[in-house]
Amino acid sequence: MLQLKDVRKVYEGKARVVALDGVTLSIGAGEMVAVMGPSGSGKSTLLNLVGGLDVPTAGALLVAGEDLARKSEEERSLFRRTHVSYVFQAYHLMPTLSAAQNVELPLHLAGRPEGEARERALKTLGEVGLSGRTTHLPDELSGGERQRVAIARALVTGAPLLLADEPTGNLDTAKGEEILQLLKSIHEARGTTIVMVTHDQHAAAACERVVKFRDGRVVEDSRG
Ligand SMILES: Nc1ncnc2c1ncn2[C@@H]1O[C@H](COP(=O)(O)OP(=O)(O)OP(=O)(O)O)[C@@H](O)[C@H]1O
Ligand SMILES: [Mg+2]
């Protein structure tokens, strides 16, 4: 699913930062991998590249067979809509839209008909255990429930790759555990490839493989 070969990412700004310094990493379809490492070690940069939000400075980057390093901005945007979904620490829900409307959004963007979008959104909210909250606004939901809506939104398009950046970072231990189990059950039921950045040892233990970064390099790659 993912193949990185000697990937470098250098941010040329006020201060030049080498965020990824020669990363070679291969992740198979259907794997669930935790990415760990200190702050600033390049974890989010990795997700941005793999998700087609940004391009490497050098090196080869293949995701789902597509050569992302060579794609235009427009091609990458299409790639993102069809192949990748994201779950963030801070949920990133639209505050004025209901849970169901938030989940429908990627289907509208993909041009699916209204009725189909609604039906699939409600079904997916059911899968994450939120059938009783479909008309609530994000403000009217708990943190764990908001993250479930974000996960439903990520799942609704059927994208084969799910990228999660500290999905349990804002939740207490019990709620975080529920979200982890939900991700794991999705991974098992749908075969979704999941790459999850986490600082939490316990969250990492739920994954089949842990890749550790330091200073923009992979320093450890272990299977549990
Ligand atoms: N857009 C950017 N422009 C310039 N430098 C950046 C940019 N994004 C990230 N960096 C730098 O690149 C390095 C890696 O950042 P990254 O966000 O990948 O770290 P991280 O491992 O996700 O850290 P954290 O655990 O704190 O989220 C950091 O030193 C950061 O300051
Ligand atoms: Mg980060």
Side-chain angles (χ1 to χ4, degrees):
M1 175 65 71
L2 308 181
Q3 279 162 300
L4 289 84
K5 188 147 187 275
D6 220 5
V7 165
R8 286 173 60 77
K9 179 67 187 177
V10 181
Y11 293 108
E12 302 283 358
K14 288 148 222 148
R16 185 170 178 275
V17 178
V18 180
L20 294 179
D21 189 12
V23 171
T24 297
L25 180 66
S26 171
I27 295 178
E31 280 198 78
M32 181 165 177
V33 180
V35 173
M36 301 189 80
S39 180
S41 60
K43 306 179 299 296
S44 296
T45 301
L46 174 83
L47 287 198
N48 289 344
L49 295 183
V50 165
L53 286 167
D54 205 349
V55 284
T57 310
L61 173 62
L62 283 176
V63 183
E66 311 261 358
D67 186 351
L68 286 189
R70 285 168 202 281
K71 280 191 185 301
S72 68
E73 173 83 53
E74 212 168 313
E75 290 168 328
R76 280 187 283 118
S77 149
L78 178 64
F79 171 84
R80 282 201 297 278
R81 281 208 300 274
T82 49
H83 288 79
V84 193
S85 53
Y86 295 90
V87 175
F88 303 95
Q89 176 173 3
Y91 325 125
H92 292 281
L93 299 173
M94 303 286 283
T96 59
L97 298 182
S98 71
Q101 287 168 330
N102 267 286
V103 178
E104 282 170 45
L105 209 53
L107 296 174
H108 289 316
L109 293 175
R112 308 308 305 167
E114 184 83 26
E116 182 200 313
R118 172 50 58 107
E119 196 179 310
R120 279 170 63 180
L122 294 179
K123 182 165 173 283
T124 313
L125 280 167
E127 283 178 53
V128 301
L130 281 185
S131 293
R133 297 286 185 279
T134 60
T135 58
H136 283 232
L137 295 172
D139 266 357
E140 299 163 345
L141 296 168
S142 72
E145 288 169 344
R146 283 180 214 176
Q147 194 58 300
R148 283 168 189 273
V149 174
I151 289 171
R153 179 184 57 188
L155 288 179
V156 78
T157 59
L161 176 61
L162 192 154
L163 304 176
D165 204 340
E166 297 192 46
T168 61
N170 278 358
L171 302 172
D172 66 36
T173 312
K175 291 290 172 215
E177 176 63 22
E178 283 176 28
I179 291 299
L180 267 173
Q181 289 313 318
L182 178 60
L183 288 172
K184 210 170 160 133
S185 70
I186 287 159
H187 160 72
E188 281 161 8
R190 299 189 176 211
T192 309
T193 308
I194 300 183
V195 182
M196 175 176 78
V197 171
T198 183
H199 282 115
D200 177 0
Q201 202 66 48
H202 179 70
C207 296
E208 296 143 1
R209 182 176 167 196
V210 180
V211 177
K212 290 193 178 150
F213 277 74
R214 184 182 303 267
D215 299 331
R217 293 201 184 96
V218 175
V219 293
E220 197 183 315
D221 188 345
S222 56
R223 283 165 208 273

